[in-house]
Amino acid sequence: INFRKAAGLTGCTNKQALFGMLCKHLASLSEMIMTDGDYSPVCWQEKITDSINYLLILWAMVKEEQLWTE
């Protein structure tokens, strides 16, 4: 639902809205990797798990679109 709301607010597709939110997580991961900071395993797990979840939601969106077009 949040992706649909974000898409409506920004005038983009649900997938584009999801990708914008995923980019936020990837930017955080990039910062963690590039600075080689002292991040806790909990912090790593949160960022990586969130990124995986966004990709799984994207897959579900793709599959849902295929169901509606078949």
Side-chain angles (χ1 to χ4, degrees):
I1 290 200
N2 287 336
F3 302 115
R4 289 184 183 119
K5 288 181 182 178
L9 289 169
T10 59
C12 65
T13 67
N14 296 343
K15 289 187 291 189
Q16 290 168 339
L18 179 144
F19 187 72
M21 295 177 194
L22 171 60
C23 284
K24 177 180 159 266
H25 291 285
L26 296 177
S28 293
L29 274 171
S30 174
E31 182 69 20
M32 291 169 68
I33 293 166
M34 300 308 286
T35 61
D36 200 27
D38 187 23
Y39 300 98
S40 72
V42 171
C43 184
W44 283 102
Q45 181 180 11
E46 178 185 341
K47 297 297 180 188
I48 292 169
T49 302
D50 285 350
S51 298
I52 291 168
N53 287 336
Y54 275 81
L55 290 171
L56 290 171
I57 294 167
L58 177 59
W59 179 241
M61 285 180 178
V62 169
K63 295 302 288 180
E64 181 180 49
E65 285 179 356
Q66 287 177 345
L67 288 174
W68 286 105
T69 58
E70 291 181 347

